Each structure stands twice: as structure tokens, then as C-alpha cells.
Amino acid sequence: MPELDWENLAAMDAAIDSSAHEEDSVSDEANFIDTSRTGVAVTERHVLSDGRTPPDAVKLITLLRLAPNSPEVALSEALTGPYAAAVSKAGALRHEALITLPDRARRPPFSVQAIDMLWFAHRRMRSAWTRTEAAYRAAWHLSGVALGTERLIARPHRVL
């Protein structure tokens, strides 16, 4: 799951629309991503807990879709409010919520509306967290707001 960062939306658009992107990135995509099974989400990052993450830390990534009858702000408010408070008991090193920006004309629609990322020191901590009472209580705050989730575990690999 590639994660790309830009300073702002205008810088992202300029990079994506550049000939260099077409020549360098698109031609190399097959080496790092399966585009037939990948969606897109342009997000704003909310750092909810900013702990230091060692190089061998793992991320529990939860992809969330907004429930059909929920207002667009409901998922963002739940993730950054009561859900974040409940997750603070997870023992995670870092907690980030990535909230999608509105879909834009002439760009692909987003496949998710939010991404929750919890960083753990090692995989065993991540596995233990998902089976705790606190995890169930945290998930309760997303009931009726999120419809469907997918979870991934990743060990970040930074390319500059």
C-alpha cells in the first residue's frame, strides 16, 4: 500500500499531472503496486497520538467506508473524537487518522472515506490489541457510521 505525501493539494496535482510522473512513476508502478487491486484516497492526516516509532514498528491499517445514511462529517468526528479516546488505551506508539478530501472532478473517486493507522512496536502487540475489550469498545464508536472495514498490517519501507 503506497503512501505518498505532498505539502498541499496544489503540489500533489502538479506532481501527478507532470510528464515526469508519467515517465518515472507510472512506468515503474508494476514494481511496487498491483493497480488492478488498488484504490485511491486523497486524505488529510490527523496525528492523534505522536509517539516515536522505531524502524521495525508495524502499522495496523484500517480502511473505512462511510455508512450510506451517515453525514460525511460523522466518520471524521467519530475517528478523531470518541474512537480516538478509546484507542488511546491500545498501547500504540502512534495513532493517525487519514480523512479523505471530497471527490474532485476529473480525478478517480475514492475507494474509502478514512484510514485509521495504529503503530505498534511489534506484530504481537498489534494482534493482541485486536482481541481486547478496549478494541471492541473503540469499534462501537464506529457503529452506524462506518460500513465495512478492511485491515492490513504493514512494516513501513521509506523511499525518498
Side-chain angles (χ1 to χ4, degrees):
M1 183 178 127
E3 183 180 333
L4 307 171
D5 286 312
W6 282 277
E7 289 296 317
N8 55 48
L9 202 53
M12 181 196 77
D13 284 341
I16 297 294
D17 293 338
S18 73
S19 59
H21 171 73
E22 194 67 34
E23 294 165 11
D24 297 337
S25 301
V26 175
S27 63
D28 193 39
E29 278 180 346
N31 293 319
F32 64 91
I33 188 170
D34 180 353
T35 56
S36 69
R37 301 181 332 151
T38 302
V40 173
V42 177
T43 66
E44 181 179 346
R45 184 180 311 270
H46 300 265
V47 178
L48 305 170
S49 170
D50 193 11
R52 188 174 155 273
T53 56
D56 59 342
V58 295
K59 285 197 278 189
L60 174 62
I61 303 167
T62 305
L63 307 172
L64 300 136
R65 289 176 191 82
L66 181 67
N69 294 327
S70 291
E72 287 190 27
V73 298
L75 189 53
S76 174
E77 289 174 351
L79 281 172
T80 59
Y83 174 83
V87 166
S88 68
K89 298 167 179 58
L93 301 172
R94 182 178 175 87
H95 183 198
E96 299 172 75
L98 281 60
I99 310 298
T100 58
L101 301 174
D103 286 337
R104 298 182 302 145
R106 299 180 314 279
R107 298 288 185 197
F110 303 142
S111 47
V112 298
Q113 285 71 50
I115 302 166
D116 186 60
M117 294 197 299
L118 292 170
W119 294 70
F120 292 95
H122 48 78
R123 190 152 81 188
R124 288 183 312 279
M125 287 180 72
R126 185 273 321 161
S127 297
W129 157 249
T130 59
R131 295 186 302 268
T132 64
E133 180 69 24
Y136 292 116
R137 289 182 187 276
W140 185 256
H141 296 290
L142 301 177
S143 295
V145 175
L147 178 67
T149 61
E150 296 175 46
R151 283 195 161 154
L152 312 164
I153 186 159
R155 178 159 286 137
H157 178 74
R158 190 165 225 198
V159 177
L160 299 174

